[in-house]
Amino acid sequence: MDVEKLLSQTVLNSWKSVNQRVSALIAQMSEENIQFEIAPGRNRALYIVGHLTAVSDRMFPLLGVGERRFPNLDAVYLEHPDRTAADPLAPADLKAAWQDLAARLTDALEAFTPDEWLQKHTAVSDADFVKEPSRNRMAVVLARTNHISYHMGQLMLAQNPR
Amino acid sequence: MDVEKLLSQTVLNSWKSVNQRVSALIAQMSEENIQFEIAPGRNRALYIVGHLTAVSDRMFPLLGVGERRFPNLDAVYLEHPDRTAADPLAPADLKAAWQDLAARLTDALEAFTPDEWLQKHTAVSDADFVKEPSRNRMAVVLARTNHISYHMGQLMLAQNPR
């Protein structure tokens, strides 16, 4: 495998590894423990799952790989703090939404060539991209992978509350 | 900039971004709030900083870029749970150790060419590396970047305890 292909594959593997871990964590959450808070007075696990799902959903237009499916999550899980708006989906439906997005996003990333990884994301202008070619799709995917890890560290705390 | 150089640069930028964020968070922790728990009965912020410092210290031999400086952190912050062993460094010294390691690791990564990013890390055998070329230095750096993000999500909870 050539250098640029192997570099891209290594980044893809990191995305897949993190997504597999958090997907397994979300899949095993019961109706009860998805309602647990990560700490007293902090976000519920459910809120964090909604937040991650909204952010992954927004990756489709950002990367130019498709339309969003769950735009109604943004108001509750991106624009408001937890417990200030009604959850738009039942926990089982939210969990299914996450799994659907994670699988379809990974399929889209699997298809990128090295050059396609380096194309600009849709939130940067052509003029800015000329000056800053590092504002590419790979940068988005790396930032989102770390965003998932950040919240996974919190979700773990809701699994065995003290 | 050519494709393989730009791909490597994008990964390096992600490492730098995450390290800058967590380094700023650690730098502003007071003697008092580094002792806060991330949640009642959970790890202290200090323990997590010790854990991250030990893991970053171990990256030098793993990536083949130098010797460790703080091997005495492992027993306390990797092998034992929090509050079961005495902290080997004062908080100010631990914070300084983190900043030192983060800066020197970043310097080492800045110097990697694309081919050097794809060299094997020292915990994989030559035979295994032939079969799995994705077990390279970049894979280690991506995994460690996500590990930092995971714990940063927890450290944030200790900043304004409830």
Side-chain angles (χ1 to χ4, degrees), chain A residues 3-5 7-8 114-115 117-119 133-134 136 138, chain B residues 1-11 112-115 117:
Chain A
V3 170
E4 58 190 48
K5 182 68 186 165
L7 291 166
S8 305
D115 285 319
W117 274 109
L118 292 178
Q119 288 172 9
S134 61
N136 53 51
M138 182 172 281
Chain B
M1 200 182 292
D2 66 12
V3 170
E4 58 190 49
K5 182 69 188 161
L6 197 44
L7 291 167
S8 306
Q9 188 69 44
T10 304
V11 171
F112 283 171
T113 64
D115 285 319
W117 273 108

Side-chain angles (χ1 to χ4, degrees), chain A residues 3-4 7 10-11 13-14 39 41-42 115 118 134 136 138-139 142 145-146 149-150 153-154 156-157 160 162, chain B residues 3-4 7 10-11 13-14 39 41-42 115 118 134 136 138-139 142 145-146 149-150 153-154 156-157 160 162:
Chain A
V3 170
E4 58 190 48
L7 291 166
T10 303
V11 171
N13 287 348
S14 173
R42 302 284 186 173
D115 285 319
L118 292 178
S134 61
N136 53 51
M138 182 172 281
L142 289 167
T145 308
N146 278 283
S149 292
Y150 179 99
Q154 300 177 333
M156 291 299 291
L157 301 175
N160 298 292
R162 294 182 185 181
Chain B
V3 170
E4 58 190 49
L7 291 167
T10 304
V11 171
N13 286 349
S14 173
R42 302 282 187 175
D115 285 319
L118 292 178
S134 60
N136 52 51
M138 182 173 280
L142 289 167
T145 309
N146 279 281
S149 292
Y150 179 99
Q154 299 177 335
M156 290 300 290
L157 302 173
N160 298 293
R162 293 183 184 180

Side-chain angles (χ1 to χ4, degrees), chain B residues 74-151:
Chain B
D74 292 14
V76 180
Y77 300 119
L78 297 179
E79 295 157 21
H80 287 91
D82 194 12
R83 288 168 294 233
T84 59
D87 297 304
L89 292 177
D93 294 331
L94 180 63
K95 288 169 62 175
W98 168 266
Q99 305 294 348
D100 171 61
L101 292 175
R104 288 190 304 110
L105 269 174
T106 299
D107 287 347
L109 302 185
E110 294 262 22
F112 283 171
T113 64
D115 285 319
E116 286 170 343
W117 273 108
L118 292 178
Q119 288 173 8
K120 81 179 189 69
H121 59 73
T122 61
V124 61
S125 70
D126 290 340
D128 285 345
F129 190 60
V130 170
K131 288 178 282 186
E132 299 178 90
S134 60
R135 297 175 70 179
N136 52 51
R137 285 162 155 174
M138 182 173 280
V140 169
V141 171
L142 289 167
R144 294 301 178 273
T145 309
N146 279 281
H147 180 251
I148 293 169
S149 292
Y150 179 99
H151 288 296

Side-chain angles (χ1 to χ4, degrees), chain B residues 18-29:
Chain B
V18 169
N19 267 266
Q20 282 164 4
R21 284 177 63 202
V22 78
S23 292
L25 179 61
I26 291 170
Q28 59 80 46
M29 285 182 182

Side-chain angles (χ1 to χ4, degrees), chain A residues 36-94:
Chain A
F36 290 158
E37 296 171 328
I38 59 170
R42 302 284 186 173
N43 291 335
R44 295 168 301 157
L46 179 68
Y47 181 83
I48 293 176
V49 175
H51 176 74
L52 291 176
T53 304
V55 170
S56 281
D57 195 41
R58 292 165 70 99
M59 288 177 71
F60 287 89
L62 189 56
L63 296 173
V65 296
E67 298 296 316
R68 301 192 58 177
R69 294 201 179 180
F70 306 99
N72 64 326
L73 299 178
D74 292 14
V76 180
Y77 300 120
L78 297 179
E79 295 157 21
H80 288 91
D82 194 11
R83 287 168 294 234
T84 59
D87 297 303
L89 292 176
D93 294 331
L94 180 62

